Amino acid sequence: GDSVTQMEGPVTLSEEAFLTINCTYTATGYPSLFWYVQYPGEGLQLLLKATKADDKGSNKGFEATYRKETTSFHLEKGSVQVSDSAVYFCALDNNAGNMLTFGGGTRLMVKP
Amino acid sequence: DVKVTQSSRYLVKRTGEKVFLECVQDMDHENMFWYRQDPGLGLRLIYFSYDVKMKEKGDIPEGYSVSREKKERFSLILESASTNQTSMYLCASSLLAGGPAGELFFGEGSRLTVL
């Protein structure tokens, strides 16, 4: 079946550091890929998405590129802020009626 | 903005109690979902529903049931709570079954502790 693997956290960075959170997936066909973010005490919210190979999703300074050849969708940000501290989830939708398969989540902690 | 409201943020129940978790969405979405969130395991789908009175099992339905009597409301029921059901429960909704790749809209979660 489909699966999503994320790097384990926590990831601890200083403010203005470069961020990469790795995500790889296993799926048949051509899934859509997502990054969701969960701020402390809140539910998940969509951060960005990409629906086909080589698409780049971007939002709030975060980017991720859909790499079919490496089955990856790594999340990057050039300069993190304390307010980016959250748990980040990679997910895929294999055209199964919006039923998403989620990775285990990666906690990011940004220190001033 | 879409709003998904979960009735209880924190609950403490005893083993064997019947537990109801309620979820209401205000955007006329067809799809509704219940996930549980556990550290390191991410989100796992318990049940989902594509329409009123419809329900489908997700990946971990054992020990749970659901009810969708109205389009906007999707309830998760633990018939006899057990300690291994201590978790964060997240409700979500989305617009169309089989539609464009989906943005799910999540509630804030219900943290259940079973003693």
Side-chain angles (χ1 to χ4, degrees), chain B residues 71-91:
Chain B
K71 190 175 186 179
E72 67 271 19
R73 187 180 298 270
F74 192 36
S75 303
L76 180 69
I77 303 154
L78 288 66
E79 293 289 342
S80 178
S82 63
T83 55
N84 63 12
Q85 293 178 308
T86 292
S87 187
M88 171 71 85
Y89 291 89
L90 293 172
C91 176

Side-chain angles (χ1 to χ4, degrees), chain A residues 34-70:
Chain A
F34 304 82
W35 278 100
Y36 279 77
V37 58
Q38 184 180 33
Y39 298 105
E42 299 183 12
L44 280 72
Q45 56 186 274
L46 179 66
L47 181 59
L48 54 84
K49 70 178 184 181
T51 58
K52 61 183 187 295
D54 299 324
D55 268 3
K56 177 185 284 188
S58 61
N59 186 25
K60 299 181 180 181
F62 290 89
E63 294 183 341
T65 301
Y66 188 159
R67 303 285 190 198
K68 188 165 177 61
E69 63 276 13
T70 55

Side-chain angles (χ1 to χ4, degrees), chain B residues 4-8 20-24 31-37 43-49 56-61 64-68 73-78 88-93 104 106-107 109-110:
Chain B
V4 178
T5 303
Q6 295 184 229
S7 57
S8 303
F20 293 86
L21 299 179
E22 305 285 340
C23 175
V24 176
N31 306 330
M32 296 190 75
F33 307 83
W34 276 106
Y35 288 87
R36 66 176 280 175
Q37 180 183 4
L43 276 70
R44 293 179 291 166
L45 183 63
I46 304 171
Y47 269 96
F48 61 100
S49 169
E56 298 287 342
K57 293 179 180 179
D59 299 320
I60 52 164
Y64 303 94
S65 62
V66 290
S67 172
R68 194 165 181 201
R73 187 180 298 270
F74 192 36
S75 303
L76 180 69
I77 303 154
L78 288 66
M88 171 71 85
Y89 291 89
L90 293 172
C91 176
S93 70
L104 295 188
F106 283 85
S110 298

